Amino acid sequence: MQLLLIHSDYIEYEVKKSTPVAEKIEDSFKQGRLEEALTAFIAVEKVDEANVEGAISKAVEEIKSVATQVKAENIMVYPYAHLSSDLSSPKAGVAILKGIEDALSGEFIVKRAPFGWYKAFKISCKGHPLSELSRSIIPDESTGAESSTCGEVVKEEVVSEALKAESTAKS
Amino acid sequence: MQLLLIHSDYIEYEVKKSTPVAEKIEDSFKQGRLEEALTAFIAVEKVDEANVEGAISKAVEEIKSVATQVKAENIMVYPYAHLSSDLSSPKAGVAILKGIEDALSGEFIVKRAPFGWYKAFKISCKGHPLSELSRSIIPDESTGAESSTCGEVVKEEVVSEALKAESTAKS
Ligand SMILES: [Mg+2]
């Protein structure tokens, strides 16, 4: 799974058009907005299909950790295929995104943008050093329902990731 | 090079803090905004260093093609490290981003956001099927200055890419 986490003044979306794999949605789900939110752009990948529960649990752990650091109480779970060239099936993608939404909902105000729709969106990224972070997650190969505490790949520590900005650390 | 192209009602940025590899910039470059623009989020990769001119020319070709399709006359060149885990050196990154800016400037109104700065940004994505497209570009291995017409990897055709949305085509 690829995550791009943006600490946002606001994030809003509105569905425009369905794709062939669009999730069936209620009218109330056709648009959404959160203020002062951590926006989690997420690409669910093939590798996540081998351990759906593990993928959900590792993603939730990362999102919670960053939300706590930036003191965000609101989280937007936003499907974003363009973060990966090795996407999961749509079915697994929807299941994992819903699982992440559900797991976060106890502690945060959570909205999820629908899967498989062309959407207009507006976002305002705050711009502080922790306001744009990316994470790669690889769940254990276990197909059981136990969540894993291993197998996670965090590209860098939060601080060095923050320093990455649009650069590398090798200057 | 990884490209994420967003057809935007507006895109604006404001620098917040320099990183150790920040480009030195004039005050006038510290913020910028374009309306009705194609925003090109770009991660320059190690592979681009072997043929800087070729990488620039293939990127310019892709950006021009999409700008023409969506009828955008304004282009924002925006460095975005989070699109790749195999980034070029900062020096090559800046050179290639400037090269793309210069090459597009004849035909379009172009702004470029500075490299190596934490930036706040606001964007509004239009949401039509061609308003979010991603491209991977690999230049020829030639180290000469000749631009190449081969070696480009377009993940999918524009139409199927558009259909990708947050899904795969395998449903
Ligand atoms: Mg409009």
Side-chain angles (χ1 to χ4, degrees):
Chain A
M1 193 184 313
Q2 300 295 329
L3 301 179
L4 175 63
L5 305 175
I6 307 276
H7 191 202
S8 315
D9 298 304
Y10 56 79
I11 167 73
E12 65 173 63
Y13 73 84
E14 181 183 356
V15 303
K16 289 292 187 184
K17 193 171 187 294
S18 60
T19 73
V21 297
E23 196 182 347
K24 286 195 178 49
I25 57 174
E26 305 283 332
D27 279 355
S28 64
F29 198 26
K30 289 188 172 167
Q31 48 191 29
R33 179 181 167 102
L34 285 173
E35 316 259 348
E36 300 298 328
L38 185 66
T39 304
F41 290 105
I42 300 176
V44 180
E45 298 179 295
K46 279 206 183 67
V47 69
D48 300 313
E49 298 188 19
N51 184 353
V52 166
E53 292 301 322
I56 292 170
S57 119
K58 299 314 290 176
V60 165
E61 189 179 314
E62 282 301 326
I63 294 168
K64 272 191 190 179
S65 164
V66 174
T68 303
Q69 284 181 81
V70 301
K71 299 184 171 58
E73 297 173 357
N74 305 318
I75 296 173
M76 177 69 82
V77 174
Y78 202 108
Y80 214 74
H82 293 299
L83 298 176
S84 174
S85 53
D86 193 30
L87 296 171
S88 74
S89 72
K91 187 181 169 190
V94 172
I96 288 174
L97 292 160
K98 284 184 177 174
I100 292 169
E101 177 191 16
D102 290 345
L104 290 168
S105 291
E107 257 177 87
F108 300 90
I109 309 232
V110 185
K111 292 194 177 183
R112 183 173 64 81
F115 181 97
W117 292 77
Y118 297 113
K119 294 181 288 291
F121 69 87
K122 292 181 169 64
I123 190 168
S124 174
C125 168
K126 288 178 176 287
H128 63 71
L130 295 180
S131 66
E132 289 182 70
L133 301 169
S134 53
R135 294 286 183 270
S136 292
I137 287 170
I138 300 174
D140 282 348
E141 284 179 24
S142 151
T143 53
E146 285 173 40
S147 68
S148 82
T149 53
C150 319
E152 175 189 0
V153 174
V154 175
K155 283 178 194 163
E156 283 122 312
E157 293 300 315
V158 166
V159 173
S160 63
E161 175 75 27
L163 282 172
K164 192 163 99 171
E166 311 85 26
S167 61
T168 71
K170 50 191 255 199
S171 72
Chain B
M1 193 183 314
Q2 300 295 329
L3 301 179
L4 175 62
L5 305 175
I6 306 276
H7 190 203
S8 315
D9 299 304
Y10 56 79
I11 167 72
E12 64 174 63
Y13 72 85
E14 182 184 355
V15 302
K16 289 292 186 185
K17 194 171 187 294
S18 60
T19 73
V21 298
E23 194 182 349
K24 285 193 181 50
I25 57 173
E26 305 283 332
D27 279 356
S28 63
F29 198 26
K30 289 188 173 167
Q31 49 191 28
R33 179 181 168 101
L34 285 172
E35 317 259 349
E36 299 298 328
L38 185 66
T39 305
F41 290 105
I42 301 176
V44 180
E45 297 178 295
K46 277 204 185 69
V47 70
D48 301 311
E49 298 189 19
N51 184 353
V52 165
E53 292 301 322
I56 291 170
S57 117
K58 298 316 290 176
V60 165
E61 189 179 314
E62 282 302 326
I63 294 168
K64 272 190 192 180
S65 164
V66 174
T68 304
Q69 283 180 81
V70 301
K71 299 184 172 59
E73 297 172 356
N74 305 319
I75 295 173
M76 177 69 82
V77 174
Y78 201 109
Y80 215 73
H82 293 300
L83 297 176
S84 174
S85 53
D86 193 29
L87 296 171
S88 74
S89 71
K91 187 181 168 189
V94 172
I96 288 174
L97 291 160
K98 284 183 177 175
I100 292 170
E101 177 191 17
D102 290 345
L104 289 167
S105 292
E107 256 177 89
F108 299 90
I109 304 206
V110 184
K111 292 194 177 184
R112 181 173 64 81
F115 181 97
W117 292 77
Y118 297 114
K119 294 181 289 289
F121 69 86
K122 292 181 169 63
I123 191 168
S124 173
C125 169
K126 288 177 176 288
H128 61 73
L130 295 179
S131 66
E132 289 182 69
L133 300 169
S134 52
R135 294 286 183 269
S136 292
I137 286 171
I138 300 174
D140 281 347
E141 285 179 24
S142 152
T143 53
E146 283 173 41
S147 67
S148 84
T149 53
C150 319
E152 176 188 1
V153 174
V154 175
K155 283 176 194 163
E156 284 122 314
E157 292 300 316
V158 166
V159 173
S160 62
E161 175 75 27
L163 280 172
K164 189 162 100 170
E166 309 86 25
S167 61
T168 70
K170 47 191 261 198
S171 72

